[in-house]
Amino acid sequence: MIFGIGNLKNSLIVDQSINRYSHTHLWLLIPFFITVLGFSRYWLGFSEAPLHWHLHGLSAMTWYGVLIIQPYLISRKKISLHRKLGIFGVFVAGAVFISAIQVISGNMNINEGPRVAIKYSTSLSELMTMIGFAFAVLAGIYSVRKTDLHAAWMISTVFWVLPPATVRLMFLVLMMIYKSPENLPLPPVILNVLNIGLLLLIICFLIFRHYRKQKVILMPYVVVAFFSVLRLFIIFGLKDSLWVESFIKRFFES
């Protein structure tokens, strides 16, 4: 009888944990559509894009699909299917990482446009971002038996890779209003600060929301928040310092 009560308590705890993610798949549709809209120029010029862009774009969209489906499966208590899709997701995450490195390497050939002045520091920030993405995936796998921590690591992967999409979407909206880059009221640095600031507000909301209910601070969100701020410093603080240029060239030419 005692063992029966213990099993019942464990079952209730699991059910309560699962119920917390009953609508997560709907919320994850938002960054998915933001990414699609932010990279609309890629989709519109799909046939003209190089192969490594396709590998990155399609693998990233597939990763979003996995993230959306996984909490839905959990909320429907389809644990076995969730685990099988998780194994597939590991390979998708690997494809996202490898293709991203190829894209970053390809950006070394960009010699025109406003990005040129900070292309090496931008590449360094993107490299760190993808390392953070990979770390979050691995940490999520390691913490698979701790539902909230596992979910937080996996959801945090969205915030590792979302800033390029959100800043592009902000730029496209401003271009629709002001027609020309010369007429934009905000310089790139302010646009990026606003972009990261908005993401930080969302991350802080998730941290506060979970702490209010569970009295625990989820470190995955703290880590990605810290590196989001660091990303700004790397891009606009270092501004293609000689050591940054040297490191990036050595890294991608080795």
Side-chain angles (χ1 to χ4, degrees), residues 70-195:
Q70 286 292 64
Y72 175 81
L73 293 176
I74 283 293
S75 67
R76 298 301 183 273
K77 299 182 181 179
K78 297 183 178 181
I79 309 299
S80 177
L81 188 55
H82 174 88
R83 289 171 179 167
K84 291 177 182 178
L85 185 59
I87 295 172
F88 171 72
V90 173
F91 291 98
V92 174
V96 173
F97 180 83
I98 293 171
S99 60
I101 297 300
Q102 292 177 325
V103 170
I104 297 170
S105 178
N107 290 340
M108 296 299 97
N109 298 322
I110 296 177
N111 295 311
E112 295 181 0
R115 178 192 167 104
V116 172
I118 53 173
K119 72 176 182 179
Y120 296 111
S121 52
T122 298
S123 295
L124 176 59
S125 74
E126 290 172 346
L127 177 61
M128 291 181 62
T129 294
M130 293 316 303
I131 292 174
F133 168 85
F135 177 81
V137 173
L138 293 174
I141 296 170
Y142 180 77
S143 59
V144 69
R145 295 186 181 277
K146 300 177 181 178
T147 304
D148 289 332
L149 188 59
H150 170 72
W153 277 118
M154 291 305 181
I155 294 171
S156 75
T157 62
V158 170
F159 297 105
W160 281 106
V161 299
L162 191 60
T166 50
V167 77
R168 280 173 171 81
L169 183 58
M170 292 169 67
F171 180 78
L172 288 175
V173 171
L174 288 174
M175 283 295 292
M176 291 174 63
I177 298 172
Y178 294 97
K179 309 301 181 184
S180 171
E182 289 75 18
N183 298 329
L184 296 182
L186 300 172
V189 61
I190 299 300
L191 198 62
N192 276 274
V193 169
L194 290 175
N195 177 43

Side-chain angles (χ1 to χ4, degrees), residues 192-210:
N192 276 274
V193 169
L194 290 175
N195 177 43
I196 296 299
L198 179 60
L199 290 176
L200 287 176
L201 284 176
I202 297 172
I203 294 170
C204 288
F205 169 76
L206 292 175
I207 293 173
F208 172 76
R209 182 172 177 270
H210 187 83

Side-chain angles (χ1 to χ4, degrees), residues 41-69:
R41 293 177 64 181
Y42 162 71
W43 300 111
L44 293 174
F46 188 83
S47 61
E48 301 174 1
L51 178 61
H52 61 278
W53 283 20
H54 291 320
L55 293 174
H56 184 57
L58 296 177
S59 63
M61 290 297 98
T62 304
W63 175 253
Y64 271 115
V66 171
L67 285 182
I68 292 167
I69 295 171

